[in-house]
Amino acid sequence: MTDSLIQPVDTQRRAPRRIGAQARTAHPAGAGDGHPADAADGHEAEEILRRTRASVDPELRAALDGLPGPMRRAALYHFGWQHPDGSPAAGGAGKALRPALVLAAAAALGGPAARDRAVRAAVAVELVHNFTLLHDDVMDRDATRRHRATAWTVFGDADAILAGDALQALALGLLARDVHPAAPAAAARLADCVVELCAGQHADTALEGRGPGGVGLGEVLDMTEAKTGALLGCACAIGALYAGASAQDVDALDAFGREAGLAFQLIDDIIGIWGDPRRTGKPAGADLAARKKSLPVVAALASGTPAAAELAALYARPWDAEDLESTVHAVERAGGRDWAQVEAADRMARAMQALSRAIPEPERAESLLALAEFVTRRTS
């Protein structure tokens, strides 16, 4: 991958998007054709996510209930299960994509019994994901998540950070106490993933201190793989471990998750600029206002177009609320949105190729395919 963006990627040539004749083609957000199958795919994924929440939430809540009071309060609030005063709430705890990938990978390679035995591992992955969210919100000073105030804005930095630390410890504790023979390997893999996640977050924070012309597209893609793709890959790999898969199949599932994770982040970055705040739960243009160097922005800056120069000037000067619309238009005119959509499709093509190495039969991979497509069709 070069740091220029202008040449579209031929995804059919580089990596087939299909697993056998029955597999579906993934489309990035905004690129769907409106076919009824698209809606059916979305409903399938939503049902998988609903079943995942039903499987993991009881053990997840039991784990949180064992935390000391202040950390328990902040964690339960973060998951949407309590109001700030401790009274019960019915807010959403997130999409549960990562635990869904654990369970789907286990089922694809080992059947329903393997899926059932992987629930504790799925909970551990969800705990690690939310550890990163609690910490990221503090570091990024994000004020809203899931349509409500972030934990640090309610309980303060210290309580939010300590709650995140506790979630990470709970995750590794769950795997340490799991009698499944794959648990030690899963714990080691998840611990390594946490280090990679921290490295990705460090790189992301360091990039924010550099000028708009000093950031290459390749290094932002590397940072994104560490910060987002790593945990999705780890989730899939842990599911494969719990199914007793070979080392080659575990690695193939990790590669599938990493590439799908990059597609996920590309679409997330598109939504962060052009999404509807009523659906996203975040203010419009928050990442642009914070001068975050998201993938569409860096691609636009690297385009060498007049709009790229305009965008660089906007990013280099103090922020004015009236600059938001101009910045959005500059990113789009410089090709950032189009590049991100094409790149998301290419990453999904690579994900499909990796998946086909471990699971060539499309009927066994249906749940993984549905989840992968869900992340590139979503609007929030």
Side-chain angles (χ1 to χ4, degrees):
M1 180 64 63
T2 64
D3 284 350
S4 62
L5 84 141
I6 305 303
Q7 295 300 319
V9 178
D10 182 352
T11 58
Q12 293 296 335
R13 175 178 59 81
R14 290 182 58 176
R17 295 189 199 175
R18 300 167 68 84
I19 301 182
Q22 300 176 37
R24 300 178 295 266
T25 300
H27 298 281
D33 58 9
H35 192 278
D38 294 349
D41 294 344
H43 291 315
E44 181 183 355
E46 288 170 4
E47 177 59 21
I48 293 167
L49 295 171
R50 185 197 65 77
R51 291 198 306 266
T52 298
R53 284 253 77 104
S55 295
V56 305
D57 278 1
E59 187 151 358
L60 179 57
R61 296 190 75 146
L64 299 181
D65 284 342
L67 291 174
M71 286 173 277
R72 181 175 66 249
R73 182 181 61 170
L76 288 171
Y77 171 83
H78 167 78
F79 277 97
W81 291 330
Q82 280 189 3
H83 293 296
D85 63 2
S87 60
K95 294 182 176 68
L97 174 63
R98 290 152 190 84
L101 288 170
V102 175
L103 300 181
L109 289 163
R115 180 196 185 278
D116 292 343
R117 291 194 295 269
V119 169
R120 179 169 288 188
V123 173
V125 169
E126 181 73 342
L127 286 166
V128 164
H129 173 53
N130 282 277
F131 139 70
T132 68
L133 297 183
L134 281 160
H135 282 205
D136 286 0
D137 285 343
V138 173
M139 285 184 276
D140 296 342
R141 311 314 286 174
D142 285 337
T144 59
R145 180 176 293 281
R146 298 168 184 161
H147 301 275
R148 67 204 310 239
T150 46
W152 72 269
T153 67
V154 175
F155 301 105
D157 289 0
D159 280 5
I161 291 169
L162 291 170
D165 293 341
L167 295 191
Q168 182 190 170
L170 285 178
L172 295 175
L174 280 176
L175 291 175
R177 290 187 291 273
D178 194 349
V179 298
H180 194 288
R189 198 164 194 120
L190 190 58
D192 289 343
C193 181
V194 168
V195 174
E196 189 173 358
L197 291 167
C198 292
Q201 178 64 17
H202 180 272
D204 188 25
T205 303
L207 288 175
E208 297 313 307
R210 289 158 59 180
V215 178
L217 190 51
E219 64 181 320
V220 180
L221 284 166
D222 289 344
M223 177 273 292
T224 302
E225 180 178 349
K227 189 175 174 183
T228 302
L231 188 55
L232 270 72
C234 183
C236 295
I238 286 175
L241 285 169
Y242 269 68
S246 67
Q248 292 84 355
D249 287 350
V250 171
D251 288 345
L253 265 292
D254 184 270
F256 162 75
R258 283 175 180 268
E259 295 292 355
L262 279 166
F264 177 95
Q265 188 59 53
L266 284 155
I267 298 305
D268 197 64
D269 287 349
I270 292 170
I271 292 169
I273 298 173
W274 293 280
D276 183 347
R278 292 171 297 181
R279 296 181 64 89
T280 65
K282 294 184 177 182
D287 285 353
L288 295 178
R291 294 297 194 276
K292 291 191 73 68
K293 296 174 182 68
S294 65
L295 284 161
V297 168
V298 176
L301 288 167
S303 68
T305 63
E310 177 187 339
L311 178 62
L314 286 165
Y315 255 56
R317 73 190 193 201
W319 179 255
D320 187 322
E322 295 179 358
D323 289 336
L324 176 58
E325 187 174 355
S326 298
T327 305
V328 170
H329 289 321
V331 175
E332 188 152 13
R333 285 187 288 108
R337 185 175 190 172
D338 288 343
W339 175 87
Q341 290 181 326
V342 170
E343 184 70 10
D346 183 49
R347 294 294 176 168
M348 283 304 303
R350 299 185 195 191
M352 297 303 104
Q353 187 180 53
L355 185 59
S356 70
R357 295 200 299 268
I359 312 171
E361 305 90 347
E363 62 276 6
R364 290 173 54 205
E366 279 297 307
S367 292
L368 287 167
L369 286 166
L371 291 169
E373 292 180 0
F374 174 77
V375 305
T376 57
R377 296 178 190 274
R378 67 199 179 93
T379 58
S380 64

